[in-house]
Amino acid sequence: MSSKNGNTFTIGSRKSELALIQTKRVQQLLEDSFPDYTFPIKSMTTIGDKILSKPLSQIGEKSLFTKELEVALQNNIVDLVVHSLKDLPTNLPEGMTIGAILKRENPEDALVIKEGLPYKSVDELPKDSVIGTSSVRRSAQLKASYPNLTNTRLAKLDASSGPYSALILAVAGLERLGMSHRISQTFSPKVMLHAVGQGALAVECRIDDKQIIELLSVLEDKDTRLRCTAERSLLRFLEGGCSIPIGVNTEFIEAQNGTRELKLLGLVARLDGSEIIKAEGQKNVDEGGIEAANELGIEVARILVEKGASNILEELKVSRQ
């Protein structure tokens, strides 16, 4: 049974406040572009929404925030699904595709200091201040740059009395929630590389649903697609997910012939921040397109492996068995 009913197309979404804000944004854009169609939202709870007792990195499931939505898509209960691209595994279920990637917002991470404290940046925090984050990527990079802080990704989850001085959260998420005023500091790529796909929204659909794919084309941002293709290619090669401290940064560089090259910086870190491995590369994507972006991700991932990243990744896998 299809969810389509004449000119009605159902959008799948997680039930969280942020997810619904993001989905309603896509809904509004589609309704503005296609006033004769309606796009009702069907929300549901995912595995990641249900498990609150331990860090997501310890659960061992890559599709924490997407599986239930994709099952609904496969069963024709919904016609399209809105995701934070960083939550979407690099290998999609058979028959699924990313129909559109919207223009990326700020992909960087932000420090949110506890209300009432006088500090404005991580440099001002007293020694042994506790920074809360559930991300191993953020935790490892923060430990590398600020070893005097008590950085624990468990603080947010385990501390009933809330003893932490600050949290690290995604800038884009805070801005979408209307909480940009709480941002005390934004971390530049020199301090912290962001997650793959962070700051971008993706709309997933069935690969054979030509009508939906055509509708979604109005949402597509070419530059964001190129950047995130390179990032996801790197992540796919390294077989990483939210449990692996992998960071990236992409930017366009003007080439001499007037075209642009995409520069990708990738990072793999030990959980304690004691070792950070970085690699970078760039390719002309104005001429090579998606294929060049995909190749770029693989090339940078291979350099990381040659520099020893595979040892870190293998040790992490063994430690969690």
Side-chain angles (χ1 to χ4, degrees), residues 294-305:
N294 189 63
E295 292 173 354
L296 174 61
I298 294 172
E299 288 180 8
V300 174
R302 283 178 171 154
I303 297 172
L304 285 168
V305 169

Side-chain angles (χ1 to χ4, degrees), residues 43-291:
S43 60
M44 55 195 75
T45 303
T46 64
I47 297 172
D49 297 313
K50 295 175 182 177
I51 302 177
L52 302 175
S53 59
K54 61 181 178 179
L56 301 178
S57 59
Q58 294 182 4
I59 299 173
E61 169 66 59
K62 287 187 177 181
S63 53
L64 286 171
F65 296 111
T66 62
K67 188 173 184 179
E68 288 78 7
L69 294 165
E70 289 174 328
V71 169
L73 194 56
Q74 288 173 322
N75 293 333
N76 295 310
I77 296 171
V78 300
D79 300 300
L80 54 149
V81 174
V82 179
H83 303 286
S84 290
L85 184 55
K86 67 182 179 63
D87 295 332
L88 193 60
T90 54
N91 292 308
L92 301 182
E94 185 177 354
M96 301 296 135
T97 188
I98 298 177
I101 300 179
L102 282 69
K103 185 176 177 60
R104 186 179 223 162
E105 297 167 67
N106 190 331
E108 296 178 339
D109 294 299
L111 183 75
V112 178
I113 293 178
K114 193 172 186 177
E115 279 191 325
L117 294 181
Y119 315 112
K120 299 298 181 183
S121 70
V122 68
D123 294 295
E124 296 180 10
L125 291 173
K127 181 181 178 182
D128 294 330
S129 291
V130 180
I131 309 294
T133 174
S134 58
S135 163
V136 293
R137 171 189 57 83
R138 292 168 179 153
S139 177
Q141 292 184 85
L142 197 69
K143 286 176 179 177
S145 297
Y146 301 95
N148 292 328
L149 295 176
T150 303
N151 171 243
T152 170
R153 55 196 165 89
L154 296 179
K156 183 180 71 170
L157 300 171
D158 294 346
S160 59
S161 58
Y164 42 91
S165 300
L167 296 176
I168 300 179
L169 302 165
V171 171
L174 289 165
E175 290 179 341
R176 290 169 189 157
L177 287 166
M179 299 182 68
S180 56
H181 63 283
R182 291 300 314 275
I183 296 176
S184 304
Q185 175 186 6
T186 299
F187 293 104
S188 73
K190 292 182 179 180
V191 176
M192 188 173 296
L193 299 190
H194 58 74
V196 167
Q198 186 161 307
L201 298 181
V203 186
E204 187 178 12
C205 64
R206 294 179 288 273
I207 198 167
D208 60 355
D209 196 332
K210 304 305 180 186
Q211 184 178 12
I212 290 294
I213 291 174
E214 184 177 350
L215 293 176
L216 294 178
S217 65
V218 302
L219 306 177
E220 177 76 5
D221 184 78
K222 179 183 176 182
D223 284 356
T224 302
R225 172 79 70 165
L226 289 168
R227 292 174 65 184
C228 292
T229 294
E231 296 172 11
R232 286 171 63 81
S233 175
L234 177 146
L235 185 64
R236 187 183 299 111
F237 187 91
L238 296 175
E239 297 182 346
C242 65
S243 62
I244 305 296
I246 295 173
V248 294
N249 188 68
T250 47
E251 61 179 317
F252 288 101
I253 307 295
E254 292 292 330
Q256 290 183 348
N257 62 357
T259 59
R260 299 173 305 166
E261 293 191 343
L262 181 64
K263 180 179 179 181
L264 170 64
L265 173 62
L267 167 154
V268 174
R270 292 193 182 278
L271 291 179
D272 62 3
S274 63
E275 184 178 7
I276 300 282
I277 297 176
K278 293 183 178 181
E280 65 180 55
Q282 59 190 70
K283 273 186 174 295
N284 193 313
V285 291
D286 278 350
E287 295 177 348
I290 291 296
E291 184 177 347

